[in-house]
Amino acid sequence: MVQLTRKAEFSASHFYWVDSWSPEENQRVFGKCANRNGHGHNYTLEVTVQGKVDPVTGFVVDLKQLKDILEKEVVGVYDHRHLNHEVPEFRTMQPTSENIAIAVWRRLEGKIPGADLVKVRVYEMEDLYADYMGEA
């Protein structure tokens, strides 16, 4: 088996807020990130797949097809969006790096022909990222 990782980028804004908490509690826990107007990041997404190398093409997966899937399922949905307001899964889930990684996994799982999804890594900043490897 060989693992292959493809990168993609998207820009999006978000904020953190728990409706059942007071504004003071949200501010205490989330600080600047509790600003309901949101703030933005230039995210980097790394998607790792695994499979056998095709003896004819030499590929684990068709790279163009993988890029197109990432564009359709993630970049086209998240790029230049306010995650809390415009992306359905984040209307009920905090758009943290951790939850974005889980949401991306759910969007991609079972949609990459000929390869298994191994890991989703989401960089919110150069020094902050989250990895998700599924529930198993």
Side-chain angles (χ1 to χ4, degrees):
M1 291 290 178
V2 173
Q3 292 187 350
L4 177 79
T5 301
R6 180 96 198 200
K7 283 187 177 186
E9 296 178 346
F10 62 92
S11 298
S13 61
H14 69 154
F15 65 85
Y16 303 148
W17 192 268
V18 176
D19 287 334
S20 62
W21 293 356
S22 68
E24 295 77 22
E25 183 70 0
N26 276 287
Q27 183 66 41
R28 184 187 71 73
V29 173
F30 299 126
K32 296 186 300 185
C33 296
N35 181 335
R36 299 293 291 261
N37 292 318
H39 64 279
H41 295 281
N42 294 317
Y43 293 92
T44 299
L45 170 65
E46 294 179 355
V47 174
T48 302
V49 298
Q50 177 176 286
K52 293 183 178 179
V53 175
D54 182 288
V56 176
T57 66
F59 295 147
V60 169
V61 65
D62 180 319
L63 297 175
K64 180 173 181 341
Q65 189 175 35
L66 179 56
K67 182 178 180 178
D68 291 347
I69 292 166
L70 293 178
E71 177 62 35
K72 177 184 177 201
E73 298 295 332
V74 182
V75 176
V77 178
Y78 292 3
D79 193 35
H80 288 82
R81 300 285 183 254
H82 193 300
L83 298 176
N84 302 74
H85 299 306
E86 298 180 80
V87 179
E89 53 262 42
F90 299 116
R91 290 193 179 119
T92 57
M93 180 170 58
Q94 295 284 5
T96 60
S97 299
E98 299 90 343
N99 282 335
I100 293 170
I102 292 168
V104 168
W105 179 282
R106 290 176 180 162
R107 286 179 165 274
L108 296 176
E109 191 171 28
K111 295 181 181 170
I112 303 167
D116 296 318
L117 192 56
V118 173
K119 179 172 71 175
V120 170
R121 175 174 280 180
V122 176
Y123 283 88
E124 185 169 306
M125 297 180 287
E126 190 175 297
D127 61 348
L128 174 65
Y129 63 87
D131 289 334
Y132 184 69
M133 283 80 63
E135 293 297 321

